[in-house]
Amino acid sequence: MTFRNNATWLAVFLTALVVVQGCEAPDDRPNILFIFSDDHSSAAISAYGSVLNNTPHIDRIAREGIRLDRYLVTNSICAPSRATILTGKYSHENGQLTNFETFDGNQQTFPKLLQQAGYQTAMIGKWHLRSVPTGFDYSNVLIGQGPYYNPRMILNGVDTVSHEGYTTDIVTDMALDWLRQDRDSGKPFLAMVQHKAPHRPWDPGPDQLALFDDETLPQPSTFRDNYDTRSSAAAAANMRVATNLVARDLKIEAGPGNLNEEQQARWDAAYGPRNEALRDALERGDMDDEALVDWKYQRYVKDYLRTVASMDENIGRILDYLEETGLAENTIVIYSSDQGWYLGEHGWYDKRWMFEPSLRAPFVARWPGHIPDGSVSAAMTSNVDLASTFLDLAGAPQPPDLHGKSMMPVLLGEEGEDAFRESFYYHYYEYPGSHCVQRHYGVRTDRYKLIYYYEIDEWELFDLDVDPDEVNNRYADPAMQSIVTELTTELDRLRQDLDVPADTRPMAECTSDSAGWFGFGDE
Ligand code: CA
């Protein structure tokens, strides 16, 4: 090797110095703490204006960071949402169309890419994808849905370990233990802390059993929806608070079934007298059918909110730990859920629909010095954008096959709301599955939503500006035909862009989940 002059030698020396120093410099890429729940509606978060409950710790993340008001999911159901987050791709591409497939963990996921980029990765809590977690240096996950109490969990894909206590507390304890003991301080981390709560059957923790006892919570305005003008799918779905909640959901002579003596005693002390009072009222004839429906709503929503209260408190424990250790400074903390949820809107519980309560999920994020305090954005962001976003945060390359894009310009307040995405594609596949919600796809824009129930060939069009509750289907309205044409063209374009194949899976008879609890003696 020859060098032309001393200046070249100097350049080589300086380059080498920069490389050496680069290796020794601390890795100051941000840590990512992704706190995630199952089925949490924004309507049960005070930062989103809940009229039902208070969530001071989730609110704190929003207050010190950003709240996204139009964070939409591509397919509103548990496992498909998780697969979309991990892969940054729609269901037809990642293979997780419904809750019933096993996630192919051999495919590209963002935790694997972060791991390759030098992040230490951990997955703690509810995984719900059947296959063993891949791309994690540490995993400790619930089996399937997992119970609310005394869960068995699988450590690093191998060892099954039984734990005693309330699952929300246990998952948080594990996350804190990992941060304290197992974190490699020489690397940035990705920690996914994923709760079972507030998923059905909404079993409250021992400390929240009495919450809301003396309150009567308000019902949403569409609680007694008659489904007029909607597709036939709406009335046919088996997910009504009035008729489909079963005795186990309502805690009528049926609890978790795996409680220890002390847990059982506290459970019985809470539900025993309440159920006796109900039995007495029904026997006295004090409650007609409508009053019983109102009672079911109270029991359902209170139990749901009790599981949220425990989760919020546990999020506070993690935020406190980050403050105490100084980790808060360079950690982006996110709280989100796998989809939205019905807290009685349209008379329903559960999710699945492209309607707003289940299409929109909560998403709040804090990163001190980067995300401006108290920001709010209505940009149409999505769970399909998370993989890109996390890779962007880590300064890692973006694979060309991702369907989403980095939300960082939105989070940092660098991009206007309208610039991020003008139209969003949605596709739900699980019919009949649970609740018999028809398969559908559709497009949402800033103002409109067009939905196509393709197995029954029925359409819906909603003008969200004047009809935010989506109760007035205007698809056949002559005044709306130019909008229908425009949106149909956009829907076709999105399906083509995303290369969505025709859904040729066979249909089956809808039989699931139709028989609810109607009174003592029925169970
Ligand atoms: Ca879910």
Side-chain angles (χ1 to χ4, degrees), residues 304-474:
Y304 179 95
L305 296 174
R306 288 165 180 144
T307 71
V308 169
S310 161
M311 190 171 63
D312 186 64
E313 211 175 291
N314 275 288
I315 290 170
R317 290 174 61 208
I318 293 190
L319 294 178
D320 287 347
Y321 175 79
L322 296 179
E323 296 298 337
E324 286 159 16
T325 54
L327 270 176
E329 254 178 64
N330 198 28
T331 300
I332 181 167
V333 179
I334 291 160
Y335 174 73
S336 190
S337 193
D338 57 354
Q339 359 75 202
W341 181 258
Y342 293 90
L343 285 172
E345 297 92 342
H346 306 294
W348 292 332
Y349 59 97
D350 213 73
K351 50 255 181 179
R352 300 164 197 275
W353 301 91
M354 197 188 167
F355 302 131
E356 291 293 287
S358 45
L359 176 66
R360 287 193 309 122
F363 187 103
V364 295
R366 180 188 80 177
W367 187 20
H370 298 273
I371 298 176
D373 287 12
S375 322
V376 175
S377 175
M380 279 202 284
T381 52
S382 166
N383 61 345
V384 80
D385 299 324
L386 288 191
S388 289
T389 305
F390 293 145
L391 293 169
D392 193 8
L393 263 169
Q398 299 275 334
D401 58 350
L402 300 184
H403 287 153
K405 57 179 185 166
S406 171
M407 289 158 42
M408 287 316 295
V410 172
L411 300 183
L412 300 176
E414 292 168 350
E415 191 172 89
E417 290 176 349
D418 301 338
F420 188 72
R421 179 176 280 126
E422 287 185 356
S423 65
F424 177 77
Y425 180 70
Y426 179 84
H427 199 149
Y428 172 76
Y429 295 86
E430 196 187 284
Y431 182 89
S434 308
H435 307 296
C436 304
V437 173
Q438 284 289 345
R439 299 171 194 174
H440 56 286
Y441 58 72
V443 56
R444 190 204 198 282
T445 63
D446 178 48
R447 177 163 180 182
Y448 297 104
K449 188 183 290 181
L450 179 73
I451 308 175
Y452 183 43
Y453 300 89
Y454 51 93
E455 299 280 4
I456 51 175
D457 193 24
E458 293 184 45
W459 293 82
E460 287 170 338
L461 171 71
F462 299 101
D463 180 345
L464 300 169
D465 274 7
V466 299
D467 178 26
D469 290 336
E470 301 164 293
V471 291
N472 189 11
N473 173 18
R474 307 203 39 206

Side-chain angles (χ1 to χ4, degrees), residues 122-182:
M123 164 66 224
I124 298 156
K126 187 165 180 180
W127 173 246
H128 194 246
L129 286 168
R130 295 175 191 254
S131 53
V132 172
T134 52
F136 297 99
D137 299 312
Y138 172 86
S139 70
N140 206 340
V141 299
L142 294 166
I143 300 168
Q145 292 283 358
Y148 272 99
Y149 282 84
N150 310 329
R152 289 188 310 139
M153 295 178 73
I154 300 178
L155 177 62
N156 291 327
V158 183
D159 300 317
T160 304
V161 182
S162 295
H163 303 271
E164 194 164 7
Y166 191 58
T167 301
T168 307
D169 298 331
I170 289 168
V171 166
T172 305
D173 289 344
M174 278 177 184
L176 289 171
D177 284 349
W178 184 83
L179 286 167
R180 283 189 195 109
Q181 296 159 22
D182 299 327

Side-chain angles (χ1 to χ4, degrees), residues 38-39 77-78 199 338-339 351:
D38 197 327
D39 294 354
I77 185 166
C78 312
H199 192 278
D338 57 354
Q339 359 75 202
K351 50 255 181 179

Side-chain angles (χ1 to χ4, degrees), residues 194-305:
Q194 307 198 160
H195 292 290
K196 176 199 174 61
H199 192 278
R200 196 181 188 185
W202 319 294
D203 292 337
D207 297 331
Q208 288 80 30
L209 284 161
L211 275 183
F212 306 104
D213 245 3
D214 304 323
E215 294 176 50
T216 302
L217 299 172
Q219 295 175 352
S221 59
T222 59
F223 184 60
R224 285 184 161 80
D225 196 344
N226 58 11
Y227 311 111
D228 271 3
T229 82
R230 256 63 52 75
S231 80
S232 63
N238 292 328
M239 49 187 276
R240 295 192 206 178
V241 171
T243 51
N244 300 120
L245 290 174
V246 299
R248 173 73 179 89
D249 297 323
L250 295 165
K251 323 296 183 309
I252 303 289
E253 297 180 355
N258 68 337
L259 303 186
N260 66 31
E261 213 172 302
E262 191 203 334
Q263 291 163 345
Q264 188 67 53
R266 294 181 73 164
W267 184 276
D268 292 342
Y271 288 102
R274 292 174 191 158
N275 289 344
E276 274 313 302
L278 173 69
R279 186 190 286 273
D280 288 349
L282 287 169
E283 280 174 4
R284 282 198 309 270
D286 286 353
M287 283 175 96
D288 60 11
D289 290 350
E290 289 303 301
L292 181 59
V293 170
D294 291 339
W295 179 91
K296 287 181 183 180
Y297 171 79
Q298 294 296 323
R299 172 62 60 94
Y300 154 58
V301 170
K302 286 179 181 178
D303 282 344
Y304 179 95
L305 296 174

